[in-house]
Amino acid sequence: MEEIVERLVLAQEARREELLLLLGDLSPEEAEHLRVAADRVRKSCVGDKVYLRGLIEFSNICVQDCLYCGIRRSNQEADRYRLDLEDILSCVDEGKRLGYRTYVLQGGEDPYYTDERIVEMVRAIKERDPECAVTLSVGEKERESYERYYQAGADRYLLRHETHSRELYEQLHPGMSYENRLRCLQDLKEIGFQVGAGFMVGLPGQTVADHVEDLLFLKELQPHMVGIGPFMPQQDTPLKDAPAGTAEMTCRLLSILRLLLPKVLLPATTALGSIDPKGREQGLQAGANVVMPNLSPTRVRDKYLLYDGKICTGDEAAHCRACIERRINSAGYVVDMGRGDGDIL
Ligand code: 5AD
Ligand code: FES
């Protein structure tokens, strides 16, 4: 196991069987060895800085029906909302005041948000804060739409692949195809976006062998960012009784990703912070170097509920900003409010 880690550190690669071993039963000492190796690589490649991104959840209306997700179309219990441009710009103003340089605009696949409206939103944010980076996370679109967003000034795009198992992907996403997901990621890269892919950990039916494929796929895709978090059940979805993924497995995957893609931007996600009160700190110590505190207005915070037990649903943006800095420092790292552009390509 130590040899596998050593080769990962030196060559940034591992074979299928080796990855399977790293994700299997490790003694606490072996697991710690992997974590320490990732933390070292993180220090030499990206330093002790942790970048903050302000997350604005602008709509929880969605045409998709993903089995795991609390804002899926079929969920009649979800209290739906949509922020208008003025609301979004108030979040940006608040973000700017708190020192953010990146805004992540995330929403369900909401038909109200046509390409024209998304373009208008990107332009308006860039006008408000010309130095900032705008990240979009609005799902699967045609290539032409992505091109329009890019031309309007969007810099980055997050679209997790969710799972590289085609079978599991299609089981969890009725009416969607894995092929189209990959097409979207390819288009986004070709257009010039800094691209974020990623997956959930511990989905029902998912195996460690599936995670090995997630890792190999990401190594090949070479995204700038990788978002991973534990699956967590949501009470009004078909997967409400399924067990959640674990912080331990999520952290192990974060460490391996740091070794496979040393310069990648790797968030300690909200889901990781929700499954364990110290989850984000553990994620940072395992190799993560980004946190995405919430900037959404408090009145809609408790409505963007993809899973149960989400943290920060009652907190003001300023509270989260201070809280997260404290947590980052306590884990042994420092906040960097720069744009933190990815540069692995
Ligand atoms: N548990 C954990 N993560 C979830 N996501 C959606 N639903 C859940 C859930 N129940 C993740 C997906 C999506 C991202 C925005 O949130 O990976 O891409
Ligand atoms: Fe929101 Fe800690 S980050 S309360």
Side-chain angles (χ1 to χ4, degrees), residues 66-71 106 137 159-162 181 198-201 203 227 229-234 237 271 304-308:
C66 311
L67 264 52
Y68 47 79
C69 183
I71 65 168
Q106 186 172 88
S137 177
L159 185 75
R160 292 187 177 178
H161 66 279
E162 310 295 4
R181 198 74 168 179
F199 59 95
M200 278 175 284
V201 179
L203 286 162
F231 156 73
M232 293 176 73
Q234 201 283 345
T237 63
Y304 200 84
L305 296 180
L306 310 186
Y307 46 82
D308 296 334

Side-chain angles (χ1 to χ4, degrees), residues 18-30:
E18 296 175 324
L19 292 172
L20 201 53
L21 211 133
L22 291 183
L23 292 175
D25 285 331
L26 297 186
S27 67
E29 294 74 28
E30 288 173 324

